[in-house]
């Protein structure tokens, strides 16, 4: 808030005024990045047509679900379609843009690794998020009679819950092998100390701790470094679902000694709907022959892969966990999206994200505070704020008004709206207009 207050004093604009939002936008050194994206029009996203605003850009605050399309993603995909048209199968080895398909993963992981705080050799790209979770658990979940439980949060995203539940059934283990971290009664978020206490109590029976980097519903950012260290000290393997964290909050997977992690790339990394997923395996594991990982052709060392000897030689690093050849078109969209991240330092993006979310919080509490509860912890959050409205009726009135005005955000019935201003393409004016629409709707 100090930075926001200082600008307000210097500019003479009140913090809750539209003038102040414009002032912040004029000072934003990253504002030009918005031009890298295609922003839908109001009437394209279900806003009211036939109004003066119908052909204006919508206010898109839903990057926590699906990021906007980067213009570079379209360009790179079109380049690969042209290569396919002009080269056919020879595009695997000869490529006009010097991106032969046989090694296409390499520029992708090189650009993605810094975003998650990893070495390129520790990062892979394949499949979708839940498929990769299963593949990681196939390697790292080795239950014994004494150590057989998997710890997840009780309100984990359903796909994570189903994946863990099915892994437990696959190993023919009892239902209590799924250990749930629960919030305290009457609370929505988890206390780190409660998670650490649970690990201390149950650690001898826990095989894998697998939590979310950012909890999808509440927006809570978990303390990955502390939890990882405590769980490993108790003898557990530690993996993280970073679906809502990758591209959103600072990550240092290598330095934090995380065993494995998986993430989708279509949220804050903007790779497109159902885009190809990423994964991380710490370098201390990547050449571990004791890990009984599942294998495929692309797991084999690239230098002898085409010898077709059927004598397996693993690819070094995370590449040895990949199964099949890289899907080019989905990887091309991701490659184009990752190019945008290279246009600004990651710490600058994070600084803007903090300002946007702090500003959003201030406006909400100042203008509609009596109608909502913000359940996202102030000290542990990324781009997303989750709002609980006092009633379903008030929630419906607010969300319907946002939809009519062409504001795209996310609802979780019966009374939750998730709003996520993304520093790559959102402005302070976006945030102000969103809250102003909610305020106007509830003032009626």
């Amino acid at each position: 808030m100090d930075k926001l207050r200082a600008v307000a004093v210097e500019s003479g604009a009140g913090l809750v005024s539209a003038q102040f939002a414009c002032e912040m936008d004029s000072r934003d050194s990253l504002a030009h990045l918005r031009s890298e994206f295609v922003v839908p029009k109001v009437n394209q996203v279900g806003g009211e047509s036939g109004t003066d605003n119908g052909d204006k850009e919508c206010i898109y605050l839903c990057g926590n679900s699906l990021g906007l399309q980067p213009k570079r993603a379209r360009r790179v995909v079109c380049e690969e379609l042209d290569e396919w048209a002009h080269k056919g199968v020879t595009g695997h080895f000869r490529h006009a843009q010097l991106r032969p398909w046989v090694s296409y993963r390499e520029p992708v992981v090189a650009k993605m690794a810094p975003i998650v705080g990893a070495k390129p050799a520790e990062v892979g790209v394949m499949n979708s998020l839940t498929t990769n979770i299963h593949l990681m658990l196939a390697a790292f979940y080795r239950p014994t009679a004494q150590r057989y439980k998997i710890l997840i949060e009780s309100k984990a995203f359903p796909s994570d819950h189903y994946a863990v539940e099915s892994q437990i059934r696959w190993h023919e283990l009892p239902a209590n092998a799924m250990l749930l971290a629960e919030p305290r009664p009457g609370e929505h978020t988890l206390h780190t100390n409660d998670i650490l206490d649970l690990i201390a109590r149950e650690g001898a029976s826990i095989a894998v701790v697998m939590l979310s980097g950012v909890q999808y519903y509440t927006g809570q950012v978990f303390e990955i470094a502390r939890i990882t260290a405590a769980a490993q000290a108790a003898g557990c393997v530690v993996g993280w679902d970073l679906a809502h964290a990758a591209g959103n909050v600072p990550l240092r997977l290598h330095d934090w000694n995380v065993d494995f992690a998986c993430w989708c790339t279509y949220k804050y990394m903007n790779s497109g709907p159902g885009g190809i997923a990423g994964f991380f395996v710490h370098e201390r594991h990547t050449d571990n022959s004791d890990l009984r990982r599942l294998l495929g052709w692309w797991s084999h060392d690239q230098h002898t892969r085409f010898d077709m000897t059927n004598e397996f030689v693993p690819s070094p690093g995370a590449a040895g966990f990949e199964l099949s050849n890289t899907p080019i078109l989905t990887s091309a969209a991701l490659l184009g999206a990752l190019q945008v991240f290279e246009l600004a330092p990651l710490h600058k993006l994070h600084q803007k994200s903090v300002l946007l979310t702090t500003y959003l919080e201030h406006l909400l509490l100042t203008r509609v505070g009596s109608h909502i509860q913000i359940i996202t912890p102030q000290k542990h959050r990324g781009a997303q704020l989750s709002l609980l409205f006092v009633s379903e009726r008030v929630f419906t009135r607010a969300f319907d008004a946002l939809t009519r005005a062409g504001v795209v955000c996310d609802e979780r019935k019966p009374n939750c709206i998730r709003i996520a201003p993304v520093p790559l393409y959102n402005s302070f004016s976006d945030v102000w207009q969103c809250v102003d629409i909610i305020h106007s709707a509830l003032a009626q």
Side-chain angles (χ1 to χ4, degrees):
M1 274 305 296
D2 290 345
K3 173 69 178 293
L4 297 173
R5 290 194 181 100
V7 173
V9 170
E10 184 179 332
S11 66
L15 274 169
V16 299
S17 68
Q19 179 187 353
F20 177 80
C22 293
E23 180 66 26
M24 288 298 297
D25 287 337
S26 72
R27 297 174 182 231
D28 179 12
S29 63
L30 303 179
H32 64 285
L33 295 177
R34 182 182 177 95
S35 66
E36 293 284 335
F37 293 86
V38 181
V39 183
K41 306 298 184 183
V42 167
N43 55 21
Q44 292 174 324
V45 297
E48 287 188 342
S49 58
T51 69
D52 293 339
N53 293 326
D55 290 329
K56 292 183 178 179
E57 290 182 344
C58 75
I59 299 171
Y60 195 86
L61 296 166
C62 208
N64 58 316
S65 288
L66 177 68
L68 288 179
Q69 182 187 114
K71 296 174 183 176
R72 293 170 189 252
R74 176 186 288 271
R75 186 196 71 199
V76 177
V77 169
C78 288
E79 288 172 353
E80 300 310 334
L81 288 171
D82 287 343
E83 284 296 298
W84 179 22
H86 301 153
K87 300 277 181 62
V89 72
T90 65
H92 282 89
F93 303 98
R94 293 171 29 241
H95 195 287
Q97 305 295 329
L98 303 181
R99 295 192 302 260
W101 299 332
V102 73
S103 57
Y104 206 85
R105 66 175 306 280
E106 294 174 10
V108 176
V109 301
K111 295 180 187 301
M112 191 156 50
I115 298 174
V116 296
K119 297 180 179 181
E122 295 174 313
V123 175
V125 57
M126 64 176 176
N127 306 317
S128 57
L129 171 59
T130 305
T131 302
N132 288 345
I133 287 174
H134 277 297
L135 290 171
M136 293 298 105
L137 289 175
F140 287 99
Y141 180 42
R142 314 306 304 174
T144 66
Q146 293 75 36
R147 191 182 287 276
Y148 62 95
K149 295 180 181 178
I150 302 178
L151 171 61
I152 63 172
E153 71 258 35
S154 62
K155 299 294 185 179
F157 193 78
S159 190
D160 285 10
H161 188 101
Y162 303 151
V164 169
E165 191 174 50
S166 62
Q167 284 280 334
I168 288 168
R169 286 202 307 267
W170 177 263
H171 287 277
E172 299 182 338
L173 293 169
N176 72 349
M178 181 188 291
L179 182 62
L180 301 178
E182 300 269 6
R184 295 177 185 179
E187 298 187 8
H188 299 281
T189 57
L190 289 161
H191 294 253
T192 300
N193 286 338
D194 290 350
I195 297 173
L196 301 184
D197 288 346
L198 180 58
I199 292 170
R201 291 195 309 270
E202 299 280 351
S205 66
I206 299 173
V208 175
V209 172
M210 197 188 81
L211 301 172
S212 303
V214 175
Q215 215 284 333
Y216 85 98
Y217 182 78
T218 66
Q220 177 183 8
V221 177
F222 287 108
E223 296 185 74
I224 296 176
R226 287 185 65 194
I227 295 168
T228 297
Q232 289 173 342
C236 313
V237 171
V238 184
W240 292 90
D241 175 350
L242 302 177
H244 288 80
N248 175 16
V249 297
L251 296 170
R252 301 206 309 271
L253 298 183
H254 176 84
D255 293 344
W256 293 338
N257 207 39
V258 168
D259 291 298
F260 71 89
C262 302
W263 57 90
C264 56
T265 63
Y266 53 80
K267 299 180 186 296
Y268 295 101
M269 286 190 185
N270 312 303
S271 71
I276 194 164
F279 70 95
F280 165 89
V281 178
H282 198 280
E283 65 179 1
R284 71 182 188 283
H285 294 304
T286 52
D287 298 316
N288 181 359
S289 59
D290 292 333
L291 280 178
R292 289 184 283 174
R293 66 182 98 165
L294 298 176
L295 303 174
W297 189 27
W298 237 244
S299 314
H300 187 100
D301 183 75
Q302 62 176 329
H303 300 294
T304 57
R305 184 180 294 149
F306 286 88
D307 291 351
M308 309 296 198
T309 63
N310 285 348
E311 296 177 5
F312 184 75
V313 178
S315 291
F321 287 76
E322 296 178 3
L323 304 185
S324 302
N325 55 318
T326 307
I328 298 304
L329 297 182
T330 52
S331 298
L334 174 57
L335 182 61
L338 293 173
Q339 290 174 358
V340 181
F341 280 88
E342 297 182 315
L343 302 179
L346 291 174
H347 74 277
K348 291 288 188 183
L349 287 170
H350 178 60
Q351 289 171 2
K352 180 180 175 181
S353 180
V354 170
L355 283 175
L356 282 168
T357 311
T358 302
Y359 183 51
L360 172 62
E361 177 186 50
H362 177 76
L363 290 177
L364 287 166
L365 294 177
T366 302
R367 304 194 68 191
V368 296
S370 63
H371 298 285
I372 63 165
Q373 175 190 4
I374 300 174
I375 62 173
T376 311
Q378 190 175 66
K379 293 184 178 180
H380 300 289
R381 68 188 184 198
Q384 172 185 327
L385 290 187
S386 296
L387 323 179
L388 292 186
F389 286 77
V390 294
S391 70
E392 187 172 356
R393 180 182 62 82
V394 173
F395 154 80
T396 301
R397 189 190 306 170
F399 192 77
D400 287 352
L402 290 169
T403 302
R404 287 194 301 272
V407 179
V408 181
C409 50
D410 180 82
E411 64 171 334
R412 285 289 182 268
K413 292 182 178 179
N415 66 329
C416 179
I417 295 179
R418 302 184 301 168
I419 303 174
V422 174
L424 282 171
Y425 49 75
N426 281 125
S427 67
F428 292 88
S429 293
D430 287 342
V431 169
W432 187 89
Q433 291 179 65
C434 172
V435 178
D436 189 60
I437 291 164
I438 295 173
H439 173 265
S440 298
L442 301 186
Q444 296 175 1

